[in-house]
């Protein structure tokens, strides 16, 4: 057989090539044409077209988003026979003038579009026929799952070809009128209205069959650019578009000149904005997540009543928010026990095009500021610390990933409070102790913990984020942050939230993700601290937005330069998260965690608890998280955190594990009462705060105060017994501008010691920056660059330090 092949082939070559080749070519063309036109249409494409109106329901079957048919029974889908002639003429005039003649694709339109695109050097025209648009809408419906990773341009071309092939096949299966019916049922007419029948009801309050030519022309003009031609926002643009459609209808002979001018003169009145469309961002998100054909009814987890409450709360705070320069508000409420979303507000006003109202705020990553701190403390509690552990709130310099560069965090008010118990440090949201903890545990561990808590946006390396991660320099999503907080409320168990009520399945339909994030004891401690209004009093005061007539654990956050403002909190039943800011990242004005998002949070928390409990639980004093066994009530010294002894001046109660330890060693009897034996690392702070009894502190202890790491890294200070010595900043230090703080708080305290208090003048780069007694400090705003700092006493003696600021 092998031997015969070349002979046959040679014979083929010898034959005259004319006719059979042409026949073959023709067969190919016909075959291709037949395949193009007669080939299969995936059946699910057309099935999904049958149920265009999915009614999205809340948890009590109240419609959130519904086909707006007046009587609630009649189908809003139009069949080919029901198509109103005016709408048919208007749609063809608006979208595809040669609709009745072309085979699905329009070679004239494609050529014209290609020429225009070439001239414009980009895509300005599509040249799509109505049939192609139907094909595109059907394919879009099917391809809601994540797109395959191809280049956008190639995907675009491939999609165009696919649409064209499907268009040719649709033309074979359906009559022109049937295709047109598909189009008017699938097209988007703006304001979330799909289908001409819905749009007719919503905009004109009448049945689509009763549309005047003017109204039909108006409606037919919308699908081209539904957001530009929005009748509620830009009626003039929509009306200009209507005039174009009317002129084309006249040119096509669908209207006489007289009818056309009558129609152009008709005054259109619109009914009010389309009625009940609650939780639009939520509805959109849920619909987009569906795979396969859409159900006709979809029961979700949100509570329509609570959703309406929240809309009202945001409305009532609108003026205040405007005053703070905040255009956008995102709010979510999670049911703790079931892990179900009870409310979801995306932007504060979906229809506010100017401020990106359609953006789904809870899923947009932003800087959380202090709202991440509870997780730093949770991890520390997991690793052995307790609410009574003492943490340093003193000027500190932490090593960073870059050799020789130190990170010097500041507190929001620029003050340091010396030794702080973990309870007060977390409740008061002090930055320095949180960074100290993170430095001890390591950023990689905190990063892993946050990722386990469901924060999916932390994709960079630990070195990239650095210690600032605990101060919220990495961006997170409100919905994920709220889900992570709910783990505290659940005693440490993290559960992936859901938005549909199909029992125990995750968003993707698989088994629901769930894991233990921390020990019940850790969750109890963090919750107890966040619910302790007295512990945060020294920073936040009492009363106001963060206090309720029932237990609420709450944390606020403010990002760098006041772009983002957060309040997250929970009860046993619900977790509420509020973000206030601007999607375009304009900064807020005079807005902290307590004044910006706080009041909205207060209203939402009250409304949510009222909905869940049917009343405000006024006499509920049970802890949010049940106290685990093995903890005992102890009195600890409020300064040292050790078991309180007889000399301790102030004490607090903590629930701790373990047996009795020896009492506080800081407070000791002295000749004239009680003295504090400050541990070395707090002496310098205590001295600046006027708390150090000089008789007890050996003079040289001052020079070695501060963290040992710092001294080792930077080398010793001026060794000679100079009469004046700069204690802060250390010579040779590098400071990083802290991105989480407002610039006015980024100051460096200039301090020097002298044998006896004298007045010291400070100069930075030769410029006087202030003077103060040597037991006080002068604050100087950090400015990038290298700076020479000089302290001078009244007798002209000086000390110098050189620092770098980045
Ligand atoms: Zn004590």
């Amino acid at each position: 057989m092998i031997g015969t092949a070349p002979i046959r082939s040679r014979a083929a070559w010898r034959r005259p090539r004319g006719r059979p080749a042409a026949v073959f070519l023709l067969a190919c063309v016909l075959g291709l044409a037949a395949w193009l036109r007669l080939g299969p249409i995936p059946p699910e494409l057309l099935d999904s077209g049958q149920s265009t109106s999915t009614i999205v329901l809340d948890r009590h079957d109240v419609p959130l988003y519904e086909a707006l048919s007046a009587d609630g029974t009649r189908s809003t889908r139009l069949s080919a026979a029901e198509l109103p002639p005016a709408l048919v003429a208007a749609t063809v005039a608006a979208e595809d003038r040669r609709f009745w003649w072309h085979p699905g694709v329009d070679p004239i339109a494609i050529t014209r579009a290609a020429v225009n695109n070439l001239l414009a050097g980009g895509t300005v025209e599509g040249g799509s026929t109505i049939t192609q648009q139907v094909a595109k809408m059907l394919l879009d419906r099917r391809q809601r799952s994540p797109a395959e990773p191809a280049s956008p341009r190639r995907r675009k071309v491939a999609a165009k070809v696919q649409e064209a092939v499907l268009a040719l096949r649709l033309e074979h299966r359906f009559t022109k009128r049937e295709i047109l019916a598909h189009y008017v049922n699938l097209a988007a007419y703006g304001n979330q209205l799909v289908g001409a029948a819905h749009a007719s009801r919503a905009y004109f309050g009448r049945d689509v069959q009763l549309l005047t030519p003017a109204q039909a022309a108006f409606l037919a003009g919308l699908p081209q650019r539904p957001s530009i031609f929005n009748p509620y926002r830009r009626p003039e643009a929509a009306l200009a578009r209507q005039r174009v459609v009317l002129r084309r209808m006249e040119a096509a002979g669908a209207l006489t000149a007289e009818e056309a001018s009558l129609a152009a003169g008709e005054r259109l009145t619109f009914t009010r904005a389309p009625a009940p469309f609650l939780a639009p961002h939520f509805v959109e998100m849920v619909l987009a997540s569906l795979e396969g054909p859409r159900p006709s009814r979809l029961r979700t987890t949100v509570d329509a009543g609570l959703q309406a409450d929240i809309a009202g709360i945001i409305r009532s705070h609108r003026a205040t928010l405007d005053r703070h320069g905040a255009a956008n508000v995102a709010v979510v409420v999670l049911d703790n026990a079931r892990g179900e979303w009870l409310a979801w507000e995306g932007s504060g006003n979906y229809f506010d095009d100017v401020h990106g109202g359609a953006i789904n705020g809870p899923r947009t990553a932003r800087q959380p500021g202090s709202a991440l701190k509870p997780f730093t403390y949770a991890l520390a509690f997991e690793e052995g610390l307790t609410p009574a552990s003492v943490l340093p709130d003193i000027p500190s310099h932490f090593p960073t990933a870059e050799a020789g560069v130190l990170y010097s965090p500041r507190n929001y008010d620029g003050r340091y409070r010396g030794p702080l118990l973990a309870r007060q440090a977390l409740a008061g949201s002090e930055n320095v102790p949180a960074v100290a903890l993170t430095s001890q545990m390591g950023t990689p561990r905190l990063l892993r913990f946050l990722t386990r808590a469901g924060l999916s946006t932390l994709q960079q390396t630990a070195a990239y984020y650095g210690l600032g991660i605990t101060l919220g320099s990495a961006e997170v999503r409100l919905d994920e942050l709220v889900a992570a907080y709910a783990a505290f409320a659940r005693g440490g168990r993290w559960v992936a939230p859901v938005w549909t009520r199909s029992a125990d399945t995750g968003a993707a339909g698989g088994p629901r993700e769930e894991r233990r994030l921390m020990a019940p004891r850790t969750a109890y401690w963090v919750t107890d601290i966040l619910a302790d209004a007295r512990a945060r009093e020294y920073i936040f005061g009492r009363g106001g937005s963060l206090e309720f007539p029932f237990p609420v654990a709450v944390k606020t956050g403010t990002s760098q330069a006041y772009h983002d403002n957060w309040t997250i909190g929970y009860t046993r039943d619900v977790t509420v998260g509020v973000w206030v800011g601007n999607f375009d990242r304009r900064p807020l004005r005079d807005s902290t965690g307590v004044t910006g998002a706080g009041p909205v949070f207060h209203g939402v928390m009250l409304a949510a608890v009222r909905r869940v409990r049917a009343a405000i639980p006024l006499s509920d004093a049970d802890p949010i998280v049940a106290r685990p066994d093995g903890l005992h009530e102890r009195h600890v010294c409020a300064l040292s955190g050790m078991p309180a002894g007889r000399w301790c001046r102030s004490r607090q109660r903590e629930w701790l594990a373990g047996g009795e330890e020896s009492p506080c060693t800081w407070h000791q009897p002295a000749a004239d009462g009680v003295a504090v034996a400050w541990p070395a690392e707090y002496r310098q702070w205590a001295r600046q705060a006027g708390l150090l009894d000089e008789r007890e502190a050996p003079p040289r202890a001052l020079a070695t105060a501060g963290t040992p790491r710092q001294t080792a890294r930077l080398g010793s200070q001026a060794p000679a017994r100079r009469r004046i010595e700069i204690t802060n900043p250390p010579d040779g230090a590098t400071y990083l501008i802290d991105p989480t703080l407002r610039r006015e708080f980024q100051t460096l305290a200039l301090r020097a010691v002298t044998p006896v208090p004298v007045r010291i003048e400070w100069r930075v780069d030769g410029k006087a920056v202030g003077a103060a007694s040597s037991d006080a400090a002068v604050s100087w705003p950090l400015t990038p660059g290298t700076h020479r700092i000089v302290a001078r006493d009244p007798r002209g003696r000086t000390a110098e330090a050189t620092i770098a600021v980045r």
Side-chain angles (χ1 to χ4, degrees):
M1 288 307 281
I2 295 163
T4 60
I7 297 167
R8 201 180 275 170
S9 166
R10 224 178 293 135
W13 277 114
R14 260 188 261 115
R15 275 196 211 120
R17 286 154 59 190
R19 246 186 18 206
V23 167
F24 178 72
L25 201 67
L26 186 65
C28 281
V29 169
L30 285 176
L32 181 69
W35 177 81
L36 279 176
R37 193 165 161 97
L38 307 177
I41 295 174
E44 79 272 14
L45 280 186
L46 298 175
D47 288 349
S48 72
Q50 295 308 312
S51 59
T52 50
S53 61
T54 293
I55 301 183
V56 182
L57 304 164
D58 90 332
R59 62 193 299 113
H60 308 299
D61 288 347
V62 176
L64 296 170
Y65 168 60
E66 183 180 27
L68 294 169
S69 56
D71 51 7
T73 53
R74 221 181 86 94
S75 165
T76 48
R77 278 188 67 80
L78 294 168
S79 68
E82 292 168 329
L83 285 177
L87 185 64
V88 168
T91 301
V92 170
E95 291 290 336
D96 184 359
R97 273 172 282 181
R98 285 173 292 276
F99 175 69
W100 303 108
W101 297 284
H102 63 63
V105 295
D106 180 356
I108 301 174
I110 290 176
T111 312
R112 204 193 52 213
V115 169
N116 286 350
N117 290 343
L118 209 63
L119 292 177
T123 311
V124 294
E125 243 183 275
S128 281
T129 64
I130 285 175
T131 323
Q132 277 169 288
Q133 292 184 52
V134 170
K136 180 178 190 321
M137 292 186 285
L138 289 173
L139 289 168
D140 282 351
R141 255 156 205 267
R142 189 173 62 158
Q143 291 165 346
R144 284 185 187 277
S145 48
E148 67 284 0
S151 80
R153 196 186 168 79
R154 266 178 64 181
R155 207 158 55 219
K156 229 167 164 176
V157 171
K160 283 272 172 221
V161 170
Q162 201 183 9
E163 282 160 30
V165 170
L166 182 57
L168 292 170
R169 290 174 185 176
L170 288 172
E171 290 275 347
H172 179 71
R173 299 296 154 86
F174 299 102
T175 65
K176 285 283 183 185
R177 286 186 69 85
E178 284 168 339
I179 289 169
L180 204 54
H182 265 305
Y183 176 82
V184 298
N185 287 328
L186 291 172
Y189 289 84
N191 294 303
Q192 300 294 309
L193 295 163
V194 171
H198 292 169
S200 171
R201 276 272 164 221
Y203 292 138
F204 300 116
R206 58 164 60 186
D207 194 280
V208 69
Q209 304 293 345
L210 305 175
L211 290 178
T212 65
Q215 290 168 329
F218 182 88
L219 222 49
L222 298 179
Q224 194 191 45
R225 299 173 83 183
S227 62
I228 302 286
F229 304 136
N230 186 332
Y232 296 124
R233 305 208 130 268
R234 300 197 179 87
E236 56 313 321
L239 283 170
R241 172 75 179 151
Q242 180 225 27
R243 297 293 145 80
V244 172
V245 176
L246 282 175
R247 276 199 297 278
R248 287 189 189 170
M249 288 171 79
E250 186 189 347
L255 294 179
T256 64
E258 193 188 352
E259 286 167 333
S261 82
L262 262 176
E266 184 178 324
R267 197 179 135 76
L268 296 180
T269 49
F270 302 106
T271 53
R272 271 306 303 152
F277 184 18
L278 278 166
H281 300 87
F282 179 81
V283 167
E284 236 178 39
M285 178 175 71
V286 170
L287 289 177
S289 75
L290 294 179
E291 284 166 11
R294 290 181 175 188
S296 59
R297 290 160 71 81
L298 183 67
R299 203 179 196 204
T300 69
T301 57
V302 301
D303 183 321
L306 179 58
Q307 194 71 39
D309 290 348
I310 291 173
I313 290 164
I314 292 175
R315 254 198 317 278
S316 72
H317 285 98
R318 184 52 77 188
T320 317
L321 292 169
D322 286 346
R323 214 163 41 243
H324 287 307
N328 306 117
V329 187
V331 178
V332 290
V333 180
L334 188 67
D335 175 290
N336 293 339
R338 300 187 188 89
E340 296 175 346
W341 294 116
L342 291 179
W344 187 291
E345 174 51 59
S347 67
N349 182 2
Y350 185 90
F351 299 105
D352 184 356
D353 286 350
V354 179
H355 298 107
I359 293 173
N360 196 1
R363 306 191 93 187
T364 309
R366 304 296 300 249
Q367 286 194 346
S370 295
L372 280 191
K373 279 186 189 138
F375 298 93
T376 302
Y377 284 82
L379 185 58
F381 292 159
E382 288 288 281
E383 304 201 343
L385 265 62
T386 76
S389 298
V390 68
L391 301 172
D393 188 8
I394 52 179
S396 312
H397 315 285
F398 301 96
T400 65
E402 252 179 287
V405 174
L406 299 178
Y407 178 55
S408 312
R410 306 269 180 289
N411 292 318
Y412 285 96
D413 57 5
R415 295 176 57 194
Y416 298 96
R417 290 176 172 80
L420 272 186
L421 301 198
R423 171 177 298 273
Q424 275 71 25
L426 172 56
S429 205
E430 292 286 88
N431 285 339
V432 181
V435 174
L437 278 180
T438 311
S439 176
Q440 253 170 47
M441 299 184 293
T443 304
R445 305 185 73 162
L446 180 58
L447 192 55
R448 272 197 302 278
F449 186 65
L450 292 171
T451 306
R452 268 179 61 73
L455 304 183
S456 70
T457 51
L458 307 174
Q459 297 295 331
Q460 305 286 344
T461 62
Y464 174 88
Y465 294 125
L467 295 173
I469 191 169
T470 189
L471 306 184
S473 59
E475 297 192 331
V476 302
R477 283 168 29 176
L478 177 67
D479 62 337
E480 293 182 342
L481 194 56
V482 163
Y485 267 77
F488 291 126
R490 270 183 226 112
R493 202 164 45 87
W494 180 88
V495 172
V498 291
W499 51 53
T500 54
R501 301 211 69 189
S502 46
D504 289 322
T505 53
R512 196 160 160 190
E513 220 186 320
E514 172 169 352
R515 64 181 83 103
R516 177 150 289 283
L517 187 61
M518 66 194 100
R521 194 173 74 178
T522 296
Y524 167 74
W525 277 339
V526 170
T527 302
D528 191 47
I529 293 171
L530 295 182
D532 186 348
R534 240 182 0 203
R536 61 173 172 262
E537 182 179 0
Y538 75 104
I539 299 286
F540 296 104
R542 284 303 297 261
S545 309
L546 304 186
E547 285 190 41
F548 294 85
F550 47 88
V552 175
V554 62
K555 188 78 199 74
T556 60
T558 303
S559 74
Q560 60 157 306
Y562 286 57
H563 284 108
D564 305 275
N565 192 216
W566 311 67
T567 305
I568 323 274
Y570 54 94
T571 64
R572 218 171 314 145
D573 307 305
V574 293
T575 304
V576 172
V578 176
W579 168 83
V580 163
N582 290 300
F583 290 139
D584 62 9
R585 295 177 193 268
R586 262 182 306 120
L588 304 175
R589 292 188 296 268
D590 314 322
S591 182
T592 68
V594 185
T595 57
V600 177
F601 171 84
H602 193 87
V604 174
M605 181 53 98
L606 284 176
V609 167
R610 192 183 286 122
R611 290 275 167 192
V612 170
R613 294 280 205 94
I616 295 291
L618 283 173
S619 56
D620 184 354
D622 291 344
I624 298 167
V625 174
R627 187 164 47 237
D629 295 335
L631 296 184
H632 309 282
E633 193 177 27
R634 302 258 188 260
H635 290 264
V636 301
C637 170
L639 188 68
S640 71
M642 296 169 168
R646 58 181 299 205
W647 307 108
C648 297
R649 278 174 287 198
S650 118
R651 47 190 67 196
Q652 64 190 50
R653 278 185 293 188
E654 290 291 347
W655 288 83
L656 304 172
E660 291 290 342
E661 294 159 38
S662 54
C664 177
T665 55
W666 293 24
H667 289 108
Q668 288 171 359
D672 50 349
V674 178
V676 180
W678 295 97
E681 66 174 317
Y682 295 112
R683 280 201 191 120
Q684 185 174 5
W685 172 85
R687 187 179 191 284
Q688 297 292 345
L691 298 171
L692 188 66
D693 189 340
E694 295 290 352
R695 288 166 303 176
E696 290 176 58
R700 288 317 300 161
L702 289 176
T704 56
T707 60
R709 216 178 6 246
Q710 167 203 336
T711 332
R713 179 174 288 272
L714 298 170
S716 63
Q717 318 245 316
R721 282 203 163 269
R722 295 174 64 164
R723 306 296 290 170
I724 176 169
E725 197 173 304
I726 294 179
T727 54
N728 199 53
D731 189 31
T734 301
Y735 291 86
L736 297 181
I737 299 266
D738 188 332
T740 59
L741 281 182
R742 264 205 295 194
R743 288 303 287 272
E744 61 257 42
F745 289 152
Q746 306 236 7
T747 58
L748 187 58
L750 307 178
R751 291 197 180 97
V753 286
T754 49
V756 287
V758 292
R759 193 171 170 76
I760 293 179
E761 269 180 37
W762 290 89
R763 288 177 170 269
V764 176
D765 304 327
K767 233 174 81 189
V769 294
S773 163
S774 58
D775 47 14
V778 163
S779 74
W780 171 72
L782 281 181
T783 329
T786 304
H787 306 285
R788 186 162 153 270
I789 297 168
V790 178
R792 176 191 298 268
D793 75 4
R795 297 170 61 180
R797 285 177 297 218
T798 60
E800 280 185 36
T802 303
I803 62 161
V805 180
R806 312 216 314 244

